[in-house]
Amino acid sequence: MSFLSKESKAAEEPAEIAAGARLIPRITIQAFCEHSQTAQLVESAIHDRRMSKVALTTHNGGLEGAIETYRSNPTPNLIMVETSLPSAEVPSALERLAEVCDATTRLIVLGHANDVVLYRELIRSGVSEYIVLPASAQQIVTAITDLFAADGAAPIGRTVGFISAKGGAGGSTVAHNVAWAISQTLRQDVLVLDMDLPFGTAGLNFNQDPPHGLADAINPSQKLDQVMLDRLMSKAANHVSLLTAPVSLDRTYDHGERDFEQVVEISQKTMPAVVLDIPHAWDAWVRHTLATVDEIVLVAEPDLANLRNAKNLADTIKALRPAETEPLLVINKMGMPRRPEISANEFATSVECRLLGQIPFDAALFGTAANNGQMIAEVAANNRINDIYRAIGMHVTGRSVPEVSGKAPGLKLPELFRKKKQA
Ligand SMILES: Nc1ncnc2c1ncn2[C@@H]1O[C@H](COP(=O)(O)OP(=O)(O)OP(=O)(O)O)[C@@H](O)[C@H]1O
Ligand SMILES: [Mg+2]
């Protein structure tokens, strides 16, 4: 099928869409246009109901502008680039763009060449769609919907579970600050699930006391869907939403193994990043959650009990998910005055986990942040601890990381948008 027939199909669709409208998840889109009419066209797409959750920005400079921008900035969920290059030059220019893009980013090209051969070549190399200009806003929205909201579309969200090796090691603090760092650096929506229903601190740390939260989302008497999830979430900051813990001891919380499965799955369909703040416990649901998330971060203090537990957790997690990524390690509260400690590298070697970050102990800073219900970045924007949180956040969301304090080597995936297009 040529892209010409695809276009005409898109043009026929509006009536059907209006009836069964599917919302595009909360993705971030950046469009790089060459002409002001194209920028206007892309901007007009945001008025479509299906785009109501999308964060879209348009920029000048076309393909070259995008390459320049992403040399030093992380890439969004979707990039749209306009190019008026002749067909023969488009693939190599896109290759240069691919070199500066993160592996999870999708690309739609807006081109001026009405060329089937080019279309096929681009799709084969992993470009998600090639739209010939002039096009309608409808066509653009349909292309985005097909990519992100079609029946078989892969969930857009990356799930990252944080768990402490020992109670109080700081798993929650790291989870919340990393969620914040992801939201600020990538300008992408992040959802924090506070799974510590009786004692969780997400509400306190983000200074929120919403009436609903995670307990409502797993209540079996309610059918959870994306609309319901939207109602239960509370907004803690720009790009940060929470499902808080009820923190009430009126009842006990004896969850079944799969009680959180659905809320995690639905969250993943609508949020680009889902941070799971998992309590330090070993219940069937904790094990099941750890078996199913995309990334796991173990947070430990540098002492012997943490080391023993982290080793047990790491071994068990690796056995539980042999085909998945291995757990990552963050050592927290380094350099506590007068406390003898195991060196971070020695700790990581014994646990056989990749050391993702070392966070210094700072009673005044963390105490102030906790008491004020603020993130570390809000209390001390220039503190280098924020760089560590950012590096952890970029790693777990699969982004390239500019070297931070020599501790967080980045993921470079220079392939040309490979694997991103489902055949
Ligand atoms: N690097 C740090 N320096 C000083 N204090 C810290 C640091 N990190 C966390 N804290 C403090 O340690 C305490 C415990 O942190 P947190 O609640 O994140 O731990 P946790 O492992 O999630 O606990 P739980 O086992 O209850 O889930 C909090 O008061 C927090 O402010
Ligand atoms: Mg906790």
Side-chain angles (χ1 to χ4, degrees), residues 164 168 170-173 176 194 196 199-201 277-280:
S164 294
S172 300
T173 309
H176 305 160
D194 189 343
D196 188 350
F199 303 115
T201 49
D277 175 359
I278 305 169
H280 174 72

PDB file of all heavy atoms in Angstrom, residues 164 168 170-173 176 194 196 199-201 277-280, ligand 2:
ATOM      1  N   SER A 164      13.748  -0.234  49.250  1.00  0.00           N
ATOM      2  CA  SER A 164      14.886  -0.121  50.169  1.00  0.00           C
ATOM      3  C   SER A 164      15.354  -1.499  50.584  1.00  0.00           C
ATOM      4  O   SER A 164      14.549  -2.414  50.779  1.00  0.00           O
ATOM      5  CB  SER A 164      14.469   0.645  51.427  1.00  0.00           C
ATOM      6  OG  SER A 164      14.163   1.971  51.100  1.00  0.00           O
ATOM      7  N   GLY A 168      13.834   2.415  56.034  1.00  0.00           N
ATOM      8  CA  GLY A 168      14.416   3.724  56.312  1.00  0.00           C
ATOM      9  C   GLY A 168      15.661   4.050  55.515  1.00  0.00           C
ATOM     10  O   GLY A 168      16.240   5.132  55.676  1.00  0.00           O
ATOM     11  N   GLY A 170      15.885   4.893  52.558  1.00  0.00           N
ATOM     12  CA  GLY A 170      15.651   6.077  51.725  1.00  0.00           C
ATOM     13  C   GLY A 170      15.029   5.781  50.370  1.00  0.00           C
ATOM     14  O   GLY A 170      15.039   6.644  49.485  1.00  0.00           O
ATOM     15  N   GLY A 171      14.459   4.597  50.197  1.00  0.00           N
ATOM     16  CA  GLY A 171      13.837   4.244  48.918  1.00  0.00           C
ATOM     17  C   GLY A 171      12.792   5.261  48.494  1.00  0.00           C
ATOM     18  O   GLY A 171      12.743   5.679  47.329  1.00  0.00           O
ATOM     19  N   SER A 172      11.963   5.678  49.435  1.00  0.00           N
ATOM     20  CA  SER A 172      10.898   6.629  49.077  1.00  0.00           C
ATOM     21  C   SER A 172      11.491   7.980  48.696  1.00  0.00           C
ATOM     22  O   SER A 172      11.077   8.594  47.704  1.00  0.00           O
ATOM     23  CB  SER A 172       9.935   6.809  50.255  1.00  0.00           C
ATOM     24  OG  SER A 172       9.362   5.568  50.575  1.00  0.00           O
ATOM     25  N   THR A 173      12.456   8.439  49.472  1.00  0.00           N
ATOM     26  CA  THR A 173      13.060   9.742  49.187  1.00  0.00           C
ATOM     27  C   THR A 173      13.699   9.737  47.802  1.00  0.00           C
ATOM     28  O   THR A 173      13.539  10.682  47.020  1.00  0.00           O
ATOM     29  CB  THR A 173      14.126  10.079  50.260  1.00  0.00           C
ATOM     30  OG1 THR A 173      13.524   9.904  51.543  1.00  0.00           O
ATOM     31  CG2 THR A 173      14.658  11.476  50.118  1.00  0.00           C
ATOM     32  N   HIS A 176      10.874   9.666  45.047  1.00  0.00           N
ATOM     33  CA  HIS A 176      10.170  10.936  44.831  1.00  0.00           C
ATOM     34  C   HIS A 176      11.075  11.951  44.127  1.00  0.00           C
ATOM     35  O   HIS A 176      10.644  12.653  43.215  1.00  0.00           O
ATOM     36  CB  HIS A 176       9.680  11.520  46.161  1.00  0.00           C
ATOM     37  CG  HIS A 176       8.823  10.549  46.939  1.00  0.00           C
ATOM     38  ND1 HIS A 176       8.595  10.649  48.286  1.00  0.00           N
ATOM     39  CD2 HIS A 176       8.146   9.432  46.541  1.00  0.00           C
ATOM     40  CE1 HIS A 176       7.812   9.653  48.681  1.00  0.00           C
ATOM     41  NE2 HIS A 176       7.535   8.900  47.640  1.00  0.00           N
ATOM     42  N   ASP A 194       2.328   5.518  45.509  1.00  0.00           N
ATOM     43  CA  ASP A 194       2.817   5.253  46.860  1.00  0.00           C
ATOM     44  C   ASP A 194       2.182   3.954  47.345  1.00  0.00           C
ATOM     45  O   ASP A 194       1.041   3.910  47.802  1.00  0.00           O
ATOM     46  CB  ASP A 194       2.462   6.413  47.788  1.00  0.00           C
ATOM     47  CG  ASP A 194       3.157   6.256  49.134  1.00  0.00           C
ATOM     48  OD1 ASP A 194       3.616   5.138  49.444  1.00  0.00           O
ATOM     49  OD2 ASP A 194       3.236   7.252  49.879  1.00  0.00           O
ATOM     50  N   ASP A 196       3.047   2.079  49.803  1.00  0.00           N
ATOM     51  CA  ASP A 196       3.117   1.842  51.242  1.00  0.00           C
ATOM     52  C   ASP A 196       1.825   2.391  51.854  1.00  0.00           C
ATOM     53  O   ASP A 196       1.800   3.498  52.419  1.00  0.00           O
ATOM     54  CB  ASP A 196       4.360   2.555  51.791  1.00  0.00           C
ATOM     55  CG  ASP A 196       4.631   2.202  53.235  1.00  0.00           C
ATOM     56  OD1 ASP A 196       3.760   1.555  53.874  1.00  0.00           O
ATOM     57  OD2 ASP A 196       5.700   2.587  53.739  1.00  0.00           O
ATOM     58  N   PHE A 199       1.762   3.588  55.671  1.00  0.00           N
ATOM     59  CA  PHE A 199       2.756   4.540  56.196  1.00  0.00           C
ATOM     60  C   PHE A 199       3.419   5.424  55.141  1.00  0.00           C
ATOM     61  O   PHE A 199       4.400   6.111  55.435  1.00  0.00           O
ATOM     62  CB  PHE A 199       3.875   3.765  56.931  1.00  0.00           C
ATOM     63  CG  PHE A 199       3.374   2.893  58.045  1.00  0.00           C
ATOM     64  CD1 PHE A 199       3.492   1.510  57.978  1.00  0.00           C
ATOM     65  CD2 PHE A 199       2.776   3.448  59.171  1.00  0.00           C
ATOM     66  CE1 PHE A 199       3.034   0.697  59.004  1.00  0.00           C
ATOM     67  CE2 PHE A 199       2.306   2.640  60.200  1.00  0.00           C
ATOM     68  CZ  PHE A 199       2.429   1.261  60.120  1.00  0.00           C
ATOM     69  N   GLY A 200       2.944   5.390  53.915  1.00  0.00           N
ATOM     70  CA  GLY A 200       3.656   6.076  52.821  1.00  0.00           C
ATOM     71  C   GLY A 200       3.865   7.571  53.048  1.00  0.00           C
ATOM     72  O   GLY A 200       3.096   8.225  53.754  1.00  0.00           O
ATOM     73  N   THR A 201       4.899   8.095  52.417  1.00  0.00           N
ATOM     74  CA  THR A 201       5.268   9.500  52.644  1.00  0.00           C
ATOM     75  C   THR A 201       5.155  10.377  51.392  1.00  0.00           C
ATOM     76  O   THR A 201       5.541  11.545  51.432  1.00  0.00           O
ATOM     77  CB  THR A 201       6.721   9.602  53.157  1.00  0.00           C
ATOM     78  OG1 THR A 201       7.555   8.810  52.298  1.00  0.00           O
ATOM     79  CG2 THR A 201       6.844   9.122  54.585  1.00  0.00           C
ATOM     80  N   ASP A 277       6.796   3.496  44.409  1.00  0.00           N
ATOM     81  CA  ASP A 277       7.464   3.585  45.704  1.00  0.00           C
ATOM     82  C   ASP A 277       7.004   2.364  46.508  1.00  0.00           C
ATOM     83  O   ASP A 277       5.915   2.335  47.065  1.00  0.00           O
ATOM     84  CB  ASP A 277       7.051   4.916  46.361  1.00  0.00           C
ATOM     85  CG  ASP A 277       7.595   5.067  47.772  1.00  0.00           C
ATOM     86  OD1 ASP A 277       8.273   4.160  48.259  1.00  0.00           O
ATOM     87  OD2 ASP A 277       7.318   6.128  48.376  1.00  0.00           O
ATOM     88  N   ILE A 278       7.864   1.339  46.516  1.00  0.00           N
ATOM     89  CA  ILE A 278       7.489   0.043  47.107  1.00  0.00           C
ATOM     90  C   ILE A 278       8.021  -0.027  48.534  1.00  0.00           C
ATOM     91  O   ILE A 278       9.189   0.283  48.771  1.00  0.00           O
ATOM     92  CB  ILE A 278       8.095  -1.107  46.259  1.00  0.00           C
ATOM     93  CG1 ILE A 278       7.659  -0.963  44.793  1.00  0.00           C
ATOM     94  CG2 ILE A 278       7.706  -2.474  46.816  1.00  0.00           C
ATOM     95  CD1 ILE A 278       8.399  -1.886  43.832  1.00  0.00           C
ATOM     96  N   PRO A 279       7.178  -0.419  49.481  1.00  0.00           N
ATOM     97  CA  PRO A 279       7.669  -0.457  50.861  1.00  0.00           C
ATOM     98  C   PRO A 279       8.679  -1.585  51.072  1.00  0.00           C
ATOM     99  O   PRO A 279       8.730  -2.537  50.284  1.00  0.00           O
ATOM    100  CB  PRO A 279       6.403  -0.704  51.682  1.00  0.00           C
ATOM    101  CG  PRO A 279       5.443  -1.347  50.751  1.00  0.00           C
ATOM    102  CD  PRO A 279       5.769  -0.827  49.382  1.00  0.00           C
ATOM    103  N   HIS A 280       9.451  -1.460  52.131  1.00  0.00           N
ATOM    104  CA  HIS A 280      10.404  -2.512  52.461  1.00  0.00           C
ATOM    105  C   HIS A 280       9.644  -3.670  53.096  1.00  0.00           C
ATOM    106  O   HIS A 280       9.371  -3.655  54.302  1.00  0.00           O
ATOM    107  CB  HIS A 280      11.457  -1.956  53.419  1.00  0.00           C
ATOM    108  CG  HIS A 280      12.379  -3.015  53.913  1.00  0.00           C
ATOM    109  ND1 HIS A 280      13.339  -3.593  53.116  1.00  0.00           N
ATOM    110  CD2 HIS A 280      12.473  -3.639  55.103  1.00  0.00           C
ATOM    111  CE1 HIS A 280      13.979  -4.506  53.799  1.00  0.00           C
ATOM    112  NE2 HIS A 280      13.470  -4.553  55.011  1.00  0.00           N
TER     113      HIS A 280
HETATM  114 MG    MG B   2       9.353   4.149  51.951  1.00  0.00          MG
END
